[in-house]
Amino acid sequence: MIRNKLLAAVTASVAVLGLAACGGSAEGSGGGGGGGGDDTITMGFAQVGAESGWRTANTQSIQESAEAAGIELQFSDAQGEQENQISAIRSFIQQRVDVIAFSPVVETGWDAVLLEAKRANIPVILTDRSVETEQEDLFVTFLGSDFIEEGRKAGEWAVENWASTGAQWNIAELQGTTGAAPAIDRQEGFAEAIADSPNLTIVASQSGDFTRTGGREVMEAMLNSNPDINAVYAHNDDMALGAIEAIEAAGKVPGQDIQIISVDAVRDGMQALADGKINFIVECNPLLGEQLMELAQQVLDGEEVPERVVTEETTFTQEQAAEVLPDRKY
Ligand code: GYE
């Protein structure tokens, strides 16, 4: 079923890989897992950190799926720092893992280390977030969401539910980590969708680093300097949850005095949506582990894989959140 979903979701273009080299690397690097003739795949995975509920669910999915697939996982947590991720990738190269997967903290600055992996014949799979690079053959595939589309869905809801009232909406935008693909793209998609609605105005826009604390602090400051804010667009649920605390502390009612749109649909976000404190959530699926392991296996088996695998996602209103909440896995 996963395979069908994966195939259904791929874009038309297919990358043809340097397969002989990849296969050779898989055979030759048994040392990492110990012992010659060992067919176990070793994957080095450089995670962003543990900044949000989304990230926790994503890490769990990757660890559980690796175990289920019999893939030995070398897991590294970069604590939100690009340089930690670069060191982790260098150490994976030194250990001669069979495949490297990572979720880049920010979009730029990866060419040098990706070139090192390429020279070492270790295939790289990007997951969740992509990189900005001039060179196209530095990674074999990218598995993750379309963040521009997520921003667009958020903006379309704002147009249908806010702009249509004819009232003036002063929107506070809580951005994700500066330079991160989901922050850049969610801003872009939203801006594009609301561009023709003169009564939707982004009056403040600042990074809350995808964390609950960040969301609370930024919202507090924004409400102080901008008491007219009556809407929030948060790039993730954790920042929306932080913003809710700040809004309540300011004596206002989240979901009513100040309406909120966010992205992710993690359990706490969905609970706040069902409780009427958030008004709309665009889903971003963190359960990428199974597809990632499958892609790694295919790459190392010398099979062709699509160069882009887009995750399928939906959106939730308050009523829909209340309905699906009991079965929500994360
Ligand atoms: O939306 C946010 C997390 O890269 C899609 O990172 C991910 C984002 C997610 O911190 O909650």
Side-chain angles (χ1 to χ4, degrees):
M1 187 209 121
I2 288 291
R3 186 174 294 250
N4 285 341
K5 205 169 153 190
L6 189 143
L7 286 175
V10 300
T11 51
S13 53
V14 168
V16 181
L17 311 168
L19 301 167
C22 298
S25 145
E27 300 273 306
S29 63
D38 181 358
D39 279 344
T40 308
I41 294 174
T42 303
M43 171 187 283
F45 186 88
Q47 181 61 292
V48 170
E51 74 282 3
S52 65
W54 191 99
R55 190 64 55 197
T56 308
N58 179 247
T59 293
Q60 201 183 340
S61 163
I62 284 155
Q63 289 172 335
E64 285 173 3
S65 306
E67 201 178 335
I71 291 180
E72 191 188 313
L73 191 68
Q74 307 274 351
F75 184 87
S76 154
D77 175 341
Q79 301 186 333
E81 300 295 334
Q82 179 173 33
E83 55 203 71
N84 292 346
Q85 270 191 322
I86 291 176
S87 319
I89 294 168
R90 292 221 160 98
S91 118
F92 295 149
I93 296 171
Q94 254 165 20
Q95 293 169 56
R96 301 225 31 90
V97 297
D98 300 306
V99 56
I100 292 172
F102 79 114
S103 171
V105 178
V106 290
E107 269 190 341
T108 54
W110 300 101
D111 284 21
V113 72
L114 290 180
L115 210 56
E116 289 168 34
K118 189 183 171 188
R119 292 210 176 104
N121 270 330
I122 302 177
V124 173
I125 299 177
L126 298 180
T127 173
D128 159 32
R129 302 181 181 177
S130 192
V131 300
E132 178 87 34
T133 174
E134 299 288 290
Q135 272 171 278
E136 277 186 14
D137 52 353
L138 292 182
F139 57 91
V140 290
T141 181
F142 164 41
L143 161 68
S145 309
D146 180 341
F147 300 132
I148 297 186
E149 183 58 26
E150 289 172 352
R152 225 179 263 138
K153 286 180 192 166
E156 280 162 9
W157 189 88
V159 170
E160 278 161 33
N161 294 274
W162 294 344
S164 63
T165 63
Q168 172 60 35
W169 295 84
N170 299 319
I171 307 169
E173 179 178 28
L174 301 175
Q175 292 182 35
T177 304
T178 306
I184 296 167
D185 293 352
R186 286 173 187 166
Q187 176 173 37
E188 185 184 325
F190 187 80
E192 190 190 296
I194 67 163
D196 295 331
S197 301
N199 58 335
L200 298 184
T201 316
I202 297 175
V203 293
S205 183
Q206 204 183 312
S207 171
D209 215 10
F210 279 132
T211 66
R212 220 173 268 213
T213 316
R216 193 190 62 234
E217 288 171 359
V218 170
M219 192 72 228
E220 242 166 47
M222 284 177 170
L223 286 172
N224 279 336
S225 52
N226 236 316
D228 292 342
I229 287 169
N230 56 0
V232 170
Y233 167 45
H235 289 186
N236 80 342
D237 287 346
D238 283 79
M239 291 191 296
L241 293 162
I244 287 171
E245 291 172 23
I247 291 167
E248 285 173 341
K252 297 192 171 172
V253 182
Q256 289 177 29
D257 300 333
I258 300 184
Q259 294 205 15
I260 304 174
I261 301 175
S262 77
V263 187
D264 273 357
V266 294
R267 180 176 290 281
D268 290 353
M270 292 289 273
Q271 185 64 58
L273 182 61
D275 292 345
K277 295 184 176 195
I278 293 179
N279 302 77
F280 185 66
I281 298 185
V282 177
E283 184 185 41
C284 179
N285 189 355
L287 306 182
L288 303 175
E290 206 171 326
Q291 278 174 299
L292 175 62
M293 299 310 147
E294 204 170 289
L295 281 170
Q297 186 74 63
Q298 288 169 343
V299 167
L300 293 170
D301 284 349
E303 288 174 33
E304 284 184 5
V305 294
E307 63 187 19
R308 175 80 172 96
V309 183
V310 184
T311 321
E312 283 179 57
E313 284 154 356
T314 183
T315 59
F316 296 100
T317 60
Q318 294 175 334
E319 296 72 31
Q320 289 165 333
E323 249 170 61
V324 304
L325 206 47
D327 300 323
R328 200 78 184 150
K329 290 200 187 71
Y330 54 91

